Amino acid sequence: GQNIDQPTEMTATEGAIVQINCTYQTSGFNGLFWYQQHAGEAPTFLSYNVLDGLEEKGRFSSFLSRSKGYSYLLLKELQMKDSASYLCAFSNDYKLSFGAGTTVTVRA
Amino acid sequence: DAGVIQSPRHEVTEMGQEVTLRCKPISGHDYLFWYRQTMMRGLELLIYFNNNVPIDDSGMPEDRFSAKMPNASFSTLKIQPSEPRDSAVYFCASSLVPQGNYGYTFGSGTRLTVV
């Protein structure tokens, strides 16, 4: 079957670093996505990994290990506006399957 | 680019009534997806289309749900009859290529409440 696990909640201080872990199980895999979703809004695309390793995009980085079924999203220099839900998703046959999301709360 | 456009933004209806949700994908995007989001089940894929053709509807919960894409710029998701457990946010998303650094672009969603 298919399964995605990520922590439910994380809290961090403004300016700090937070790492959101995601583990997944799937029979078919075409890539790993991270989306950000603010309360009451639509998910927005953050990052994509298809090969093992680290992809960096400004303050956000995403890592993938296909052999371990593991990814993480690293948020650096946290800002208040980063308070949101972060969704891990894998792609299989053009379909994205999403985890339940990790709610990150940034405190001053 | 106006993005993915969904209507209505909010819908409140009585149990047993028919509900139709509408979506206009981004021009040129060949893939269209309908998702449902609830607190209990998160984001669930209901159905997706490629070039207006339904490819996978295995996520459609029951025969009460149906989706159509009569042309490249319009899709509908219909629930008939609606039930309180259908209350959720329904998202439409479109993609040029659902892989790589394109990902999906989601619409703003329709918040459906069935009373």
Side-chain angles (χ1 to χ4, degrees), chain B residues 2-31:
Chain B
V4 177
I5 300 172
Q6 290 187 246
S7 64
R9 287 297 306 274
H10 302 273
E11 177 81 35
V12 180
T13 190
E14 292 185 345
M15 182 174 63
Q17 295 299 304
E18 177 180 296
V19 175
T20 299
L21 312 181
R22 296 173 177 80
C23 175
K24 176 179 168 55
I26 291 173
S27 178
H29 280 194
D30 295 330
Y31 291 83

